[in-house]
Amino acid sequence: MKNKNDFSGSNILIVEDEKSLAIGLKYNLEEEGYSAQVAEDGREALRLFDEEAYDLVILDIMLPFVNGFEVAKKMRQSYPQLPILMLTARTGIQDRIHGLEIGADDYITKPFHLEELLARIKGMLKRKQWYQEISEISPVYRFGENVVDFTTLVCSSGEKKFKLTAREAMLLRYLAEHAGVNVTRKELLKNVWHIPSEVETRTVDNFIVRLRKLFEPDPANPVHFVSVRSVGYIFYS
């Protein structure tokens, strides 16, 4: 009997050229109540993506024909809010940074525990649901000289135009919902990343630095994303 969860029926695309791993992932995802399809290379992944709607993509980096970075980039152009979980056998920080820059939402390193993968997937689908619900209520947000379209992720800051990644948009959205309130790192990890609050990580700080570079008139002297020493951040609109 399948172990049903809150996101049963969500359609997941597995892009993995290691057949035994891909078959195992498909079986376990279907046991959890998800619908799952497998693409064995980047070219097939993009073809399937054009033919069918997916709620989440599990994407290996090292793929035949088109690598995972290029696949993620092309998928993100068509569907800015698509959750993308990248699989990698590499542990180098540069791969992770590059993946985040092109819009990957999360990483998991091979070999991994099934329970961790399933937890990551559920967290990503939960974030997607929250983000879509909030964006439908107020898709465009303005602060200072900045304008953010949370539907397309297209932004402007003065004369500058750019696109956020889905995770950057989720972080900004959460901060905007709590403008003027001291928000702790633990709270952000729990509610934006769905990472246990006891985990030590500089993830939040790194993303705040990125938002400052994009939106602050002077990133070295922020007026919107203000640090609270040893605690977290206050966002001022």
Side-chain angles (χ1 to χ4, degrees):
M1 181 176 179
K2 290 183 179 180
N3 178 23
K4 296 294 183 181
N5 61 64
D6 295 340
F7 299 98
S8 292
S10 295
N11 197 16
I12 297 176
L13 177 61
I14 303 162
V15 189
E16 171 60 63
D17 63 334
E18 187 180 333
K19 289 187 178 181
S20 60
L21 176 56
I23 291 170
L25 285 174
K26 185 176 190 300
Y27 172 80
N28 282 287
L29 289 174
E30 290 176 343
E31 284 296 298
E32 290 293 313
Y34 300 112
S35 174
Q37 286 183 278
V38 173
E40 296 184 358
D41 58 65
R43 192 164 58 193
E44 184 183 9
L46 292 172
R47 179 183 63 78
L48 290 173
F49 183 75
D50 286 339
E51 294 175 354
E52 190 168 343
Y54 292 95
D55 298 297
L56 183 144
V57 175
I58 299 172
L59 179 61
D60 190 21
I61 291 178
M62 302 299 291
L63 294 168
F65 303 118
V66 184
N67 68 45
F69 293 131
E70 286 301 312
V71 172
K73 186 176 180 180
K74 290 179 180 179
M75 288 181 172
R76 183 64 75 220
Q77 288 171 349
S78 301
Y79 187 177
Q81 299 173 21
L82 175 70
I84 298 175
L85 173 62
M86 298 199 92
L87 301 179
T88 176
R90 302 174 177 180
T91 57
I93 188 65
Q94 290 305 316
D95 280 343
R96 293 171 182 256
I97 291 172
H98 184 46
L100 291 172
E101 286 176 343
I102 62 175
D105 295 277
D106 208 348
Y107 265 91
I108 192 166
T109 305
K110 300 176 184 178
F112 51 82
H113 294 290
L114 177 62
E115 293 78 8
E116 180 186 2
L117 177 72
L118 294 175
R120 299 271 189 107
I121 289 171
K122 190 170 183 179
M124 291 170 72
L125 290 172
K126 188 181 296 184
R127 290 193 298 272
K128 177 192 174 190
Q129 183 182 62
W130 163 76
Y131 180 82
Q132 287 181 330
E133 290 172 354
I134 294 298
S135 297
E136 287 172 4
I137 295 170
S138 54
V140 177
Y141 182 70
R142 293 175 172 83
F143 64 102
E145 294 187 355
N146 306 298
V147 180
V148 181
D149 187 326
F150 282 109
T151 302
T152 64
L153 306 189
V154 173
C155 309
S156 63
S157 181
E159 299 298 317
K160 181 173 60 176
K161 292 189 180 297
F162 52 91
K163 249 187 170 184
L164 294 178
T165 67
R167 186 65 65 87
E168 289 166 349
M170 289 177 185
L171 174 58
L172 176 57
R173 185 88 242 189
Y174 190 88
L175 291 171
E177 295 256 304
H178 299 81
V181 177
N182 184 7
V183 180
T184 67
R185 291 176 178 82
K186 289 184 177 181
E187 181 181 347
L188 291 170
L189 286 173
K190 178 181 177 182
N191 293 298
V192 179
W193 278 266
H194 291 270
I195 296 174
S197 60
E198 64 271 14
V199 173
E200 293 293 330
T201 174
R202 287 192 56 81
T203 297
V204 173
D205 298 324
N206 292 335
F207 270 79
I208 292 292
V209 168
R210 168 77 172 161
L211 292 180
R212 284 173 175 165
K213 288 179 179 178
L214 293 172
F215 293 110
E216 294 282 5
D218 179 5
N221 297 286
V223 296
H224 298 298
F225 305 92
V226 179
S227 298
V228 179
R229 187 175 177 83
S230 302
V231 179
Y233 299 93
I234 297 180
F235 174 75
Y236 295 102
S237 56

